[in-house]
Amino acid sequence: MSSQVIAFIGGGNMASAIIGGLLRAGLAPAQLHVVEPHAPQRDKLRAEFGLQALAAGDASLGRAGTVVWAVKPQLFAEAAAPLRAWVGGALQLSVMAGIPSASIARASGSERVVRSMPNTPALIGQGIAGLYARPAVSAEERATIEGLLAPTGQTLWVEREEDLDAVTALSGSGPAYFFFFVEAMMAAAVDMGLTAEQGRRLALATCAGAAALGLASDESPTTLRERVTSKGGTTHAAITAMQADAVDAAIRRAVLAAQKRAAELGREFG
Ligand SMILES: NC(=O)C1=CN([C@@H]2O[C@H](COP(=O)(O)OP(=O)(O)OC[C@H]3O[C@@H](n4cnc5c(N)ncnc54)[C@H](OP(=O)(O)O)[C@@H]3O)[C@@H](O)[C@H]2O)C=CC1
Ligand SMILES: O=C(O)[C@@H]1CCC=N1
């Protein structure tokens, strides 16, 4: 990893996932600057990572080679306005849902903008992040961003910026859909007389095993599903019940709702 300074604007969940990865990859805490107005969160960053976060931006941000925008989309404009004087010379990386790269270029004063959409498994190095670069970003700068995100998991470039809204709806929000499903499995476990903890272990191990099998196999998810589904058996009963409730259509509608919201966030706060 290079010796450049990386400045994070916002030191919350997603910034912490990336910071943790960078420190594990060998960056020195002194290479990481964080602007975080929330005092308890600054204390947490100090305790967890040994970082001295700033309550507000200052001229030290001018030393950053890369600036990572990790505030809520709703707060982007407010967060960026006081920093423009210092961040314009840097490569910009956003993790914010929805905010268009043109807005980030305008607010930061730099056309060198990469938008990313990571997800929370980044915390354990098993995330996947969609990436989009504005034309002014060089091949070397794309590689810099890939290196910065590598400790958090995989990356996937998209050519059209609007596709990041779909990535947001699939993999950015996706961990929450998965935990929603696990919550329902746990509730069903209790309905059947198991404890919630037994349900949690069975559901999580089953989902992790199924995901690992899907990744390791050349077969499609449909084939893998059919292989579990014995004729006239228990899985058939469950899948038939889900089809009767149109669960697949409901999931598709939910993902499209997330995509629509990502686009709205861009229009409202970009
Ligand atoms: N969580 C997720 O799964 C994912 C999130 N994202 C994106 O990451 C971004 C951050 O989300 P997340 O980490 O979950 O949110 P958090 O609320 O955990 O982190 C944002 C942090 O920014 C701080 N902040 C608020 N105003 C400013 C400011 N003016 N300058 C600097 N920092 C400020 C917040 O402080 P305070 O709490 O006081 O407001 C907060 O600590 C969002 O844009 C989201 O779309 C992307 C992919 C996945
Ligand atoms: O819910 C959100 O808006 C953010 C973006 C993707 C995951 N969390």
Side-chain angles (χ1 to χ4, degrees):
M1 191 74 59
S2 82
S3 57
Q4 67 158 246
V5 168
I6 302 170
F8 287 82
I9 314 304
N13 292 314
M14 202 31 75
S16 296
I18 300 173
I19 288 168
L22 289 170
L23 293 174
R24 280 197 303 279
L27 252 76
Q31 284 176 262
L32 302 178
H33 294 191
V34 185
V35 178
E36 171 54 64
H38 195 48
Q41 188 60 24
R42 287 201 301 280
D43 292 343
K44 200 166 161 220
L45 290 165
R46 192 177 317 119
E48 204 170 331
F49 302 124
L51 294 175
Q52 300 295 335
L54 302 167
D58 64 25
S60 68
L61 293 178
R63 292 206 296 275
T66 304
V67 171
V68 183
W69 295 94
V71 293
K72 297 278 185 219
Q74 291 86 336
L75 293 174
F76 168 63
E78 180 188 323
L83 308 183
R84 200 174 191 283
W86 301 302
V87 300
L91 176 62
Q92 314 289 317
L93 171 64
S94 165
V95 302
M96 299 176 292
I99 303 296
S101 66
S103 304
I104 299 163
R106 212 168 32 243
S108 66
S110 167
E111 270 296 320
R112 294 153 56 225
V113 179
V114 175
R115 275 183 65 191
S116 71
M117 179 42 57
N119 62 9
T120 51
L123 275 167
I124 55 164
Q126 295 198 38
I128 183 161
L131 293 171
Y132 167 80
R134 281 180 80 72
V137 177
S138 68
E140 194 186 328
E141 288 167 337
R142 282 178 176 238
T144 298
I145 296 299
E146 286 171 7
L148 195 155
L149 292 174
T152 67
Q154 305 175 50
T155 51
L156 174 94
W157 288 96
V158 296
E159 291 307 316
R160 301 180 310 172
E161 182 163 3
E162 64 266 33
D163 285 347
L164 275 186
D165 292 343
V167 172
T168 305
L170 276 172
S171 54
S173 297
Y177 314 156
F178 164 82
F179 289 120
F180 190 74
F181 182 71
V182 169
E183 287 174 78
M185 297 264 275
M186 287 172 65
V190 172
D191 290 342
M192 295 184 293
L194 299 176
T195 66
E197 177 53 19
Q198 286 172 324
R200 190 185 77 91
R201 278 189 60 196
L202 288 164
L204 284 174
T206 301
C207 293
L213 178 64
L215 283 169
S217 172
D218 290 335
E219 315 258 41
S220 69
T222 302
T223 301
L224 294 172
R225 170 173 59 76
E226 285 169 355
R227 204 157 281 156
V228 190
T229 312
S230 310
K231 211 168 178 186
T234 60
T235 317
H236 181 258
I239 298 283
T240 303
M242 284 196 251
Q243 283 169 340
D245 284 341
V247 172
D248 46 354
I251 291 171
R252 287 170 74 165
R253 274 198 306 278
V255 174
L256 293 178
Q259 180 197 30
K260 180 166 168 272
R261 182 59 187 148
E264 278 170 10
L265 284 170
R267 282 195 298 276
E268 283 174 40
F269 303 109

